[in-house]
Amino acid sequence: MNQSVQVVGVYVRDQDEALAFYVDKLGFRVHTDVRNGDYRWLTVQAPGPASFQLGLFVPGPPVHDAATAQALQAMVAKGAMPPLVLEVDDCRAACERMRAQGVEFTQEPVDRYGTVDAGFRDPAGNGWKVIQSRR
């Protein structure tokens, strides 16, 4: 049996805001952007070889009731969700490129564990680690 991960989702407070961040600041590309009434299925992919899609989803109907959606938004805003990892060839250069696009870092690049890593958050509060590929 052949299996692979196609979409991994994150919760965002506003899909247009998230789309601008991921495309304009991180260099991702839009994979899918379709609507069904008020529901919007929006996915992006990181630059480089196509792998899985990152779904940018707003908590709410038809999946969540209002109270659950509000709780999820609050958790994301506090940075309580697990971090995502962006692997790059050169962490310091990638951070400088992203910083020039307006990305604000929560952790500057640091050497550790035999590589270099840094951290930032998206507009909704999702945490990201930028980790340099091991050579």
Side-chain angles (χ1 to χ4, degrees):
M1 180 179 356
N2 189 12
Q3 295 180 345
S4 64
V5 175
Q6 183 179 17
V7 178
V8 174
V10 295
Y11 291 128
V12 299
R13 67 175 167 235
D14 179 280
Q15 287 176 304
D16 290 325
E17 173 187 52
L19 183 61
F21 179 82
Y22 283 95
V23 171
D24 298 340
K25 295 186 179 193
L26 299 187
F28 284 37
R29 68 175 182 82
V30 176
H31 182 278
T32 306
D33 189 355
V34 295
R35 295 176 189 264
N36 183 7
D38 290 336
Y39 185 77
R40 182 179 184 189
W41 181 267
L42 176 61
T43 66
V44 295
Q45 283 184 309
S51 56
F52 71 90
Q53 301 161 51
L54 181 64
L56 307 175
F57 305 121
V58 176
V63 181
H64 307 106
D65 60 38
T68 302
Q70 184 177 12
L72 287 169
Q73 290 281 15
M75 289 178 62
V76 171
K78 291 179 181 181
M81 306 308 277
L84 299 136
V85 176
L86 184 63
E87 184 180 42
V88 297
D89 291 332
D90 183 329
C91 184
R92 287 180 174 84
C95 292
E96 285 307 312
R97 181 189 57 77
M98 287 186 263
R99 186 175 283 107
Q101 295 298 319
V103 175
E104 296 178 17
F105 283 82
T106 56
Q107 176 208 313
E108 292 300 317
V110 64
D111 292 285
R112 66 172 143 202
Y113 310 119
T115 189
V116 180
D117 72 84
F120 68 90
R121 292 173 70 184
D122 74 6
N126 291 296
W128 278 87
K129 295 298 280 181
V130 181
I131 298 180
Q132 186 166 304
S133 303
R134 294 182 192 269
R135 295 184 181 131

Short mmCIF file of all heavy atoms in Angstrom, two decimals, residues 2 5 8 10 15 18-19 24 28 47 50 52 55 58 62 64 67 69 72 84 89 91 97-98 111 120:
data_model
loop_
_atom_site.label_atom_id
_atom_site.label_comp_id
_atom_site.label_asym_id
_atom_site.label_seq_id
_atom_site.Cartn_x
_atom_site.Cartn_y
_atom_site.Cartn_z
N ASN A 2 0.60 2.19 -0.86
CA ASN A 2 1.35 3.44 -0.96
C ASN A 2 0.58 4.54 -0.23
O ASN A 2 -0.59 4.76 -0.53
CB ASN A 2 1.55 3.80 -2.43
CG ASN A 2 2.50 4.95 -2.62
OD1 ASN A 2 3.17 5.37 -1.69
ND2 ASN A 2 2.55 5.47 -3.82
N VAL A 5 1.42 11.89 3.12
CA VAL A 5 0.68 13.01 3.70
C VAL A 5 0.47 14.04 2.59
O VAL A 5 1.43 14.45 1.93
CB VAL A 5 1.45 13.65 4.87
CG1 VAL A 5 0.74 14.89 5.38
CG2 VAL A 5 1.61 12.63 5.99
N VAL A 8 -1.38 19.23 5.56
CA VAL A 8 -1.28 19.45 7.00
C VAL A 8 -1.85 20.84 7.23
O VAL A 8 -1.46 21.80 6.58
CB VAL A 8 0.18 19.39 7.48
CG1 VAL A 8 0.29 19.78 8.94
CG2 VAL A 8 0.76 17.99 7.24
N VAL A 10 -3.11 24.32 9.47
CA VAL A 10 -2.90 25.20 10.61
C VAL A 10 -4.11 26.12 10.68
O VAL A 10 -4.75 26.41 9.67
CB VAL A 10 -1.61 26.04 10.51
CG1 VAL A 10 -0.38 25.15 10.55
CG2 VAL A 10 -1.60 26.92 9.29
N GLN A 15 -7.85 34.18 6.42
CA GLN A 15 -7.18 33.48 5.33
C GLN A 15 -6.46 34.43 4.37
O GLN A 15 -5.39 34.10 3.87
CB GLN A 15 -8.16 32.58 4.58
CG GLN A 15 -8.52 31.35 5.40
CD GLN A 15 -9.56 30.49 4.73
OE1 GLN A 15 -10.64 30.97 4.40
NE2 GLN A 15 -9.24 29.22 4.55
N ALA A 18 -3.26 35.42 6.09
CA ALA A 18 -2.33 34.28 6.08
C ALA A 18 -1.77 34.05 4.68
O ALA A 18 -0.56 33.81 4.53
CB ALA A 18 -3.04 33.02 6.57
N LEU A 19 -2.61 34.16 3.67
CA LEU A 19 -2.15 33.97 2.30
C LEU A 19 -1.08 34.99 1.94
O LEU A 19 -0.03 34.64 1.39
CB LEU A 19 -3.34 34.08 1.33
CG LEU A 19 -3.03 33.84 -0.14
CD1 LEU A 19 -2.50 32.43 -0.36
CD2 LEU A 19 -4.30 34.07 -0.96
N ASP A 24 3.75 36.18 0.09
CA ASP A 24 4.58 37.36 -0.10
C ASP A 24 5.82 37.40 0.78
O ASP A 24 6.86 37.90 0.37
CB ASP A 24 3.76 38.64 0.15
CG ASP A 24 2.60 38.78 -0.82
OD1 ASP A 24 2.61 38.14 -1.89
OD2 ASP A 24 1.65 39.52 -0.50
N PHE A 28 6.00 30.99 -0.38
CA PHE A 28 5.20 29.81 -0.71
C PHE A 28 4.38 30.13 -1.96
O PHE A 28 4.25 31.28 -2.36
CB PHE A 28 4.25 29.47 0.43
CG PHE A 28 4.89 28.80 1.61
CD1 PHE A 28 6.16 29.14 2.06
CD2 PHE A 28 4.20 27.82 2.32
CE1 PHE A 28 6.73 28.53 3.17
CE2 PHE A 28 4.75 27.20 3.43
CZ PHE A 28 6.03 27.55 3.86
N PRO A 47 8.41 26.65 -1.28
CA PRO A 47 9.22 26.58 -2.50
C PRO A 47 10.10 25.33 -2.47
O PRO A 47 10.37 24.79 -1.40
CB PRO A 47 10.05 27.86 -2.45
CG PRO A 47 9.99 28.33 -1.05
CD PRO A 47 8.75 27.77 -0.44
N ALA A 50 7.94 19.87 -4.67
CA ALA A 50 6.58 19.78 -4.13
C ALA A 50 6.47 18.57 -3.20
O ALA A 50 6.88 17.48 -3.54
CB ALA A 50 5.57 19.68 -5.26
N PHE A 52 4.04 18.10 0.63
CA PHE A 52 2.68 18.26 1.12
C PHE A 52 2.23 19.71 1.02
O PHE A 52 3.03 20.62 0.82
CB PHE A 52 2.54 17.73 2.55
CG PHE A 52 3.23 18.59 3.58
CD1 PHE A 52 2.55 19.62 4.20
CD2 PHE A 52 4.54 18.35 3.94
CE1 PHE A 52 3.18 20.41 5.14
CE2 PHE A 52 5.17 19.14 4.88
CZ PHE A 52 4.49 20.17 5.47
N GLY A 55 -2.44 23.63 4.75
CA GLY A 55 -3.80 24.17 4.71
C GLY A 55 -3.92 25.34 5.67
O GLY A 55 -3.51 25.24 6.83
N VAL A 58 -9.59 28.61 8.86
CA VAL A 58 -10.17 29.40 9.94
C VAL A 58 -11.08 28.49 10.75
O VAL A 58 -11.99 27.86 10.18
CB VAL A 58 -10.97 30.61 9.38
CG1 VAL A 58 -11.65 31.36 10.50
CG2 VAL A 58 -10.06 31.53 8.58
N PRO A 62 -18.08 24.53 8.88
CA PRO A 62 -18.96 23.50 9.41
C PRO A 62 -18.29 22.55 10.39
O PRO A 62 -18.91 21.64 10.89
CB PRO A 62 -19.38 22.74 8.15
CG PRO A 62 -18.18 22.82 7.27
CD PRO A 62 -17.57 24.17 7.56
N HIS A 64 -16.45 23.47 13.41
CA HIS A 64 -16.46 23.87 14.82
C HIS A 64 -17.63 24.78 15.13
O HIS A 64 -18.00 25.62 14.31
CB HIS A 64 -15.17 24.64 15.17
CG HIS A 64 -13.92 23.93 14.80
ND1 HIS A 64 -13.16 24.30 13.73
CD2 HIS A 64 -13.31 22.86 15.35
CE1 HIS A 64 -12.12 23.48 13.63
NE2 HIS A 64 -12.19 22.60 14.60
N ALA A 67 -18.01 28.48 20.13
CA ALA A 67 -17.18 28.42 21.33
C ALA A 67 -15.86 27.69 21.06
O ALA A 67 -14.79 28.12 21.51
CB ALA A 67 -17.94 27.73 22.47
N ALA A 69 -14.39 27.37 18.10
CA ALA A 69 -13.61 28.23 17.20
C ALA A 69 -12.88 29.31 17.99
O ALA A 69 -11.69 29.58 17.76
CB ALA A 69 -14.51 28.84 16.14
N LEU A 72 -9.97 27.77 19.95
CA LEU A 72 -8.85 27.45 19.06
C LEU A 72 -8.10 28.70 18.65
O LEU A 72 -6.85 28.71 18.66
CB LEU A 72 -9.35 26.70 17.82
CG LEU A 72 -9.79 25.26 18.06
CD1 LEU A 72 -10.52 24.71 16.85
CD2 LEU A 72 -8.58 24.40 18.41
N LEU A 84 5.89 24.43 13.53
CA LEU A 84 6.12 23.86 12.21
C LEU A 84 7.60 24.07 11.90
O LEU A 84 8.24 24.94 12.49
CB LEU A 84 5.25 24.57 11.18
CG LEU A 84 3.76 24.42 11.47
CD1 LEU A 84 3.05 25.74 11.30
CD2 LEU A 84 3.17 23.37 10.57
N ASP A 89 18.63 25.64 3.20
CA ASP A 89 20.05 25.36 2.98
C ASP A 89 20.94 26.21 3.89
O ASP A 89 21.95 25.74 4.39
CB ASP A 89 20.43 25.61 1.53
CG ASP A 89 19.82 24.60 0.58
OD1 ASP A 89 19.57 23.46 1.00
OD2 ASP A 89 19.60 24.95 -0.59
N CYS A 91 20.38 28.89 7.03
CA CYS A 91 19.43 29.51 7.96
C CYS A 91 19.61 31.01 8.05
O CYS A 91 18.64 31.76 8.00
CB CYS A 91 19.57 28.86 9.34
SG CYS A 91 18.36 29.47 10.56
N ARG A 97 16.55 37.11 4.30
CA ARG A 97 15.60 37.30 3.21
C ARG A 97 14.19 37.52 3.76
O ARG A 97 13.48 38.42 3.35
CB ARG A 97 15.63 36.10 2.26
CG ARG A 97 14.67 36.23 1.07
CD ARG A 97 14.56 34.95 0.27
NE ARG A 97 14.14 33.80 1.03
CZ ARG A 97 12.88 33.56 1.40
NH1 ARG A 97 11.92 34.41 1.12
NH2 ARG A 97 12.59 32.48 2.09
N MET A 98 13.80 36.68 4.74
CA MET A 98 12.46 36.80 5.33
C MET A 98 12.33 38.11 6.12
O MET A 98 11.29 38.76 6.06
CB MET A 98 12.17 35.59 6.22
CG MET A 98 11.89 34.33 5.44
SD MET A 98 11.38 32.98 6.51
CE MET A 98 12.92 32.13 6.71
N ASP A 111 23.58 28.56 16.58
CA ASP A 111 24.21 27.27 16.32
C ASP A 111 23.89 26.34 17.47
O ASP A 111 24.15 26.67 18.63
CB ASP A 111 25.74 27.43 16.24
CG ASP A 111 26.16 28.22 15.02
OD1 ASP A 111 26.11 27.66 13.92
OD2 ASP A 111 26.54 29.40 15.19
N PHE A 120 10.13 32.07 14.29
CA PHE A 120 9.22 33.19 14.04
C PHE A 120 7.80 32.68 14.18
O PHE A 120 7.57 31.48 14.33
CB PHE A 120 9.46 33.80 12.64
CG PHE A 120 9.09 32.90 11.48
CD1 PHE A 120 7.81 32.92 10.93
CD2 PHE A 120 10.03 32.05 10.92
CE1 PHE A 120 7.47 32.10 9.87
CE2 PHE A 120 9.71 31.24 9.86
CZ PHE A 120 8.43 31.26 9.33
#
